[in-house]
Amino acid sequence: MSGHGDGGGPLRATFGSALSGTVRVPGDKSISHRAFLFGGLAAGRTRVTGLLEGEDVLATGRAMRQMGARIERDGDGWVIDGVGNGALLEPEGLLDFGNAGTGSRLTMGLVGTYDFATCFTGDASLSRRPMGRVLDPLRQMGTQVIARSGDRLPLAIHGPRVAAPITYRVPMASAQVKSAVLLAGLNAPGITTVIEPVMTRDHTERMLQGFGATVSVETDAAGVRTIRLEGQGRLSAVPDFVVPGDPSSAAFLVVAALIVPGSDVTIENVLMNPTRTGLVQTLIEMGGAIDILNQRESGGETVADLRVRHSELKGVDVPADRAPSMIDEYPVLAVAASFAAGTTRMNGLDELRVKESDRLAAVAAGLAANGIDHEEGHDWLTVTGRPDGRGYGGGTVATHLDHRIAMSFLVLGLACQRPVTVDDGAMIATSFPEFVGLVATLGGTVEPA
Ligand code: S3P
């Protein structure tokens, strides 16, 4: 088991005053992981500002150090001296990724084509999650895998002397799988091709281009994307890399402002990459007063400030094809839907079963514990809301080592007449260590229970 930071133990959120004020959320988790990975690989010195200093990302930084990168905190940022593409060192000891699916899977891809052994471990949640989705394409490239049955952590991999570049059609909507194959391709001769039938977050493609890799993307009439990466090319440091605010963290504050009466909250500098904005789109369709202000470019991405006011929401049907652009936001959408008039139907949720917890089951159990009308299917969820939230709350929610379950149900508690307790707040530090403090800044109450 990996240790997790402070904030462990139960937390309780209570209804109080309206939320108001202007805040910034920490850096995007997906981009922060990649900043350590690509900065640690690229030749030269990358300086990163706005990085999320959550446990998941720090685990990726530690892993890159174990493989030869120099990574230091420096003033308001991080300085990374990369090893150069193809020049990672065999790590001594285990790479421990704690709770982090993204860090572990992307790193498996990255080292999967190196002719040395790498051992991966993680916490109880990560050890339950499927790794075959990344190991299968690596096996096609020549990687040997020693794993427990079912391809779960802990496991070891050893790359071939010369890896075979492959063409791989990603069988599920997963940016992690796409990314792992592309990163493996960095150390394989020739062109590695990933075919992505459903577009997922595109940070790997964009950032690899920014670090000088030769990557092309073609999209056909049906929306199928073909991504080609030229292996064994030079990667060059980015002297000044800026990480935008995380829309998946902003999501908790956005929903809190929508459901706590009288609220008026502005969240500055939020990443608005269209592969990440499904929740905002859905909440606006539900009648949420969300103003997207001051849209601008920052570090090759669009960012904006979101002004969010308490709103009368109505239930909507959320199409299955929107799932990739809001895959981490369904738990908190379910909380918003609890206060919407009518029924919200969420479809295409099969991937929620294999996140930090079985998020579909965890959300359904949390809604049940707090008196909220819902129905759970194998890959869908419906929530029938009550705008006044009468009778809601009073429950204790099992978080199953899942930060987003913890934060979603604390947001619920900010709007219920009776408090909501989550059994463990420790995992919040994996992605959003500032969460409890920012809620307090806005006037909300989350305390140890
Ligand atoms: C991520 C991709 C998503 C997402 C995760 C971060 C990434 O996972 O849930 O939080 O940074 O690539 P999948 O690709 O497995 O859906």
Side-chain angles (χ1 to χ4, degrees):
M1 268 290 281
S2 318
H4 292 282
D6 293 335
L11 293 176
R12 178 176 300 139
T14 44
F15 180 81
S17 56
L19 304 177
S20 69
T22 298
V23 291
R24 280 185 174 230
V25 289
D28 185 68
K29 180 147 80 87
S30 292
I31 294 178
S32 296
H33 277 298
R34 287 160 174 84
F36 272 158
L37 290 166
F38 304 163
L41 190 63
R45 175 166 288 191
T46 295
R47 189 164 193 283
V48 183
T49 49
L51 187 100
L52 165 65
E53 294 177 354
E55 290 176 0
D56 279 11
V57 171
L58 296 178
T60 295
R62 265 196 311 276
M64 290 308 289
R65 272 197 197 121
Q66 284 174 265
M67 295 188 287
R70 249 197 80 231
I71 301 180
E72 303 292 344
R73 188 113 182 32
D74 169 59
D76 65 343
W78 289 77
V79 168
I80 308 169
D81 291 309
V83 294
N85 187 27
L88 289 172
L89 304 177
E90 178 162 4
E92 278 178 28
L94 299 169
L95 303 186
D96 185 349
F97 284 94
N99 194 247
T102 305
S104 57
R105 291 192 177 118
L106 268 56
T107 304
M108 268 176 216
L110 188 66
V111 299
T113 45
Y114 279 73
D115 182 13
F116 57 59
T118 314
C119 303
F120 290 80
T121 186
D123 73 3
S125 157
L126 193 57
S127 304
R128 280 192 292 267
R129 298 180 65 184
M131 296 296 160
R133 50 181 55 201
V134 168
L135 299 173
D136 287 342
L138 287 178
R139 288 179 173 113
Q140 291 180 24
M141 298 177 94
T143 309
Q144 292 185 355
V145 179
I146 304 167
R148 277 158 45 192
S149 60
D151 283 345
R152 303 291 203 270
L153 295 190
L155 60 81
I157 61 177
H158 195 300
R161 237 162 35 78
V162 180
I166 57 170
T167 294
Y168 193 70
R169 193 180 175 89
V170 182
M172 69 288 288
S174 171
Q176 293 178 1
V177 175
K178 164 178 67 180
S179 302
V181 177
L182 290 172
L183 298 191
L186 285 173
N187 198 37
I191 307 284
T192 292
T193 304
V194 174
I195 299 169
E196 187 179 49
V198 181
M199 184 171 183
T200 61
R201 66 190 68 195
D202 60 354
H203 308 306
T204 296
E205 301 91 296
R206 285 173 181 249
M207 286 178 65
L208 280 177
Q209 282 167 343
F211 280 86
T214 305
V215 181
S216 68
V217 183
E218 260 172 52
T219 307
D220 73 11
V224 177
R225 298 172 82 235
T226 301
I227 306 156
R228 294 187 183 84
L229 172 117
E230 214 175 284
Q232 299 186 329
R234 187 181 155 81
L235 289 189
S236 311
V238 176
D240 181 18
F241 187 89
V242 183
V243 182
D246 194 331
S248 300
S249 297
F252 301 108
L253 306 182
V254 168
V255 169
L258 288 174
I259 64 176
V260 176
S263 296
D264 186 348
V265 168
T266 299
I267 306 151
E268 292 180 332
N269 191 43
V270 180
L271 174 68
M272 295 300 284
N273 178 314
T275 63
R276 301 291 299 282
T277 50
L279 177 76
V280 168
Q281 185 186 353
T282 303
L283 292 171
I284 290 173
E285 286 172 10
M286 293 171 79
I290 303 177
D291 300 323
I292 300 168
L293 306 171
N294 196 16
Q295 280 216 44
R296 57 206 184 266
E297 294 303 305
S298 170
E301 292 279 6
T302 303
V303 299
D305 304 331
L306 302 179
R307 181 180 179 199
V308 190
R309 280 165 290 169
H310 173 250
S311 304
E312 284 177 18
L313 301 175
K314 60 179 194 304
V316 295
D317 284 357
V318 188
D321 64 8
R322 197 176 293 165
S325 68
M326 53 181 295
I327 192 66
D328 292 332
E329 280 69 78
Y330 285 99
V332 79
L333 175 64
V335 170
S338 303
F339 291 87
T343 299
T344 296
R345 295 181 184 81
M346 303 165 228
N347 301 297
L349 307 187
D350 36 335
E351 281 294 306
L352 291 197
R353 298 269 182 210
V354 290
K355 293 295 178 189
E356 285 82 331
S357 65
D358 174 345
R359 280 195 180 146
L360 205 37
V363 168
L367 296 173
N370 290 288
I372 296 161
D373 188 7
H374 68 284
E375 212 181 320
E376 175 194 356
H378 72 286
D379 68 346
W380 53 265
L381 179 71
T382 63
V383 178
T384 302
R386 236 178 277 154
D388 63 6
R390 190 165 314 142
Y392 283 176
T396 296
V397 177
T399 51
H400 300 286
L401 297 174
D402 189 330
H403 54 133
R404 299 201 198 279
I405 297 300
M407 289 185 277
S408 297
F409 283 96
L410 291 170
V411 167
L412 175 72
L414 295 174
C416 292
Q417 291 300 333
R418 288 184 293 160
V420 173
T421 306
V422 302
D423 66 352
D424 184 14
M427 293 299 136
I428 293 172
T430 63
S431 71
F432 195 174
E434 301 85 341
F435 173 75
V436 172
L438 284 182
V439 169
T441 303
L442 296 173
T445 306
V446 174
E447 293 167 327

